[in-house]
Amino acid sequence: MRIRAALTATVLAATAALAGCAGDSSPLPVTPDRPQADAVTPAPAPDGTKPAPPACNPRASLRPTGSLPEPGDMPAGSYMATIQERGRLVLGTSQDTLLFSSRNPFTGEIEGFDVDMGRQIAEAIFGDPDKIQIKVIGYDKRVSSAVDGSVDIVADTMTANCERWVDVNFSSIYYEAGQKVLVSKSSKAKSIADLGGKKICSAAGSTSFDNIGKEKSKPIAVARPAFGDCLVAFQRNEVDGISTDDTILAGMAAQDPYAKVIGDKFTQEPYAIAMNKEHPEFARFVNAVLERNRANGTWKKTYEKWLGDFGQAPPPPKAQYR
């Protein structure tokens, strides 16, 4: 374990050094702003209940209207025109979710499936996928960053659910994931049902963290600012496992030869892009981009680029609209 911890520290230090020279405008989060304190499932209201969000179909988004405008010619008065005038699309995402949005240790650039979703939207607005500013945000800041306008879109392995729909607009679903558990290869556990009383880590503010606390086996939910921090905690024996979406865990297992992913999916996690509710025309535009990319093979090529090691690309999720 000492060797594993030393290797982890070395990799993280190298990544930080390279990131300081990166072309991204987003700085690495500084240590004082990333507390490592454990967290537990939020306490219910005094009467023992938690207010439920309005019932909805979280997969149903706003239907596109008409054909896409030509790049560089966004409709006057639209939010797309505001982005065009600014000269860049601002994408909020993470920097440590391998395959979806992680910082390349050699180039310092943030890349992955989610980042390419953002680049495709930038290309639809500008005709240039590089007219994008990547802003690193915490998992617990994904909704608030879309609400306060500090980013235009959030593409960050984010599950669309009714609670979040209250505050943001979501695109149609662009990826179907499900939650599993990562443990040590020496563990005899076969699923999360075998991990009662064990410390299981997930990112603060994620649905994955909430789901751990709902399990009948009663594992102990431990929060860290990001999943990269969970991996470090796991390698230091501070937690017994990590639980989040299967694709994220696969990326972690690829980084740690002593880890394995166990069990069947015990949740459904439909990923969608989050946007400010004040600009419904932008949500319709984003959905038109996603619709086009499903039809012309762009989605499939993106899957093969980043997730091809999981096997043949499945059909892209079908869009549902309100």
Side-chain angles (χ1 to χ4, degrees), residues 122-142:
E123 186 171 20
I125 295 174
F126 299 101
D128 183 351
D130 292 330
K131 289 198 171 182
I132 188 168
Q133 175 187 348
I134 299 175
K135 182 174 183 180
V136 173
I137 57 176
Y139 257 64
D140 58 346
K141 301 297 183 183
R142 292 178 297 178

Side-chain angles (χ1 to χ4, degrees), residues 86-164:
R86 183 200 303 145
R88 67 191 185 281
L89 173 78
V90 183
L91 164 66
T93 193
S94 61
Q95 64 177 349
D96 57 3
T97 307
L98 190 67
L99 305 178
F100 279 83
S101 53
S102 62
R103 198 177 289 272
N104 185 311
F106 299 102
T107 67
E109 299 289 335
I110 296 177
E111 60 186 20
F113 192 98
D114 282 342
V115 175
D116 277 5
M117 292 291 108
R119 291 188 179 279
Q120 289 158 17
I121 295 167
E123 186 171 20
I125 295 174
F126 299 101
D128 183 351
D130 292 330
K131 289 198 171 182
I132 188 168
Q133 175 187 348
I134 299 175
K135 182 174 183 180
V136 173
I137 57 176
Y139 257 64
D140 58 346
K141 301 297 183 183
R142 292 178 297 178
V143 170
S144 61
S145 295
V147 171
D148 66 22
S150 57
V151 301
D152 299 316
I153 59 172
V154 175
D156 191 11
T157 60
M158 188 173 184
T159 300
N161 59 35
C162 294
E163 183 177 5
R164 288 169 173 167

Side-chain angles (χ1 to χ4, degrees), residues 177-185 187-195 215 217 242-247 249-250 253 259-267:
Q179 191 166 345
K180 290 187 178 183
V181 186
L182 178 143
V183 295
S184 170
K185 280 188 175 178
S187 173
K188 296 181 180 180
K190 301 298 183 183
S191 72
I192 196 167
D194 301 322
L195 295 170
E215 281 299 305
S217 59
I242 304 169
S243 185
T244 185
D245 304 345
D246 51 346
T247 46
L249 293 180
K260 64 181 178 180
V261 180
I262 60 172
D264 296 326
K265 296 178 183 179
F266 58 91
T267 68

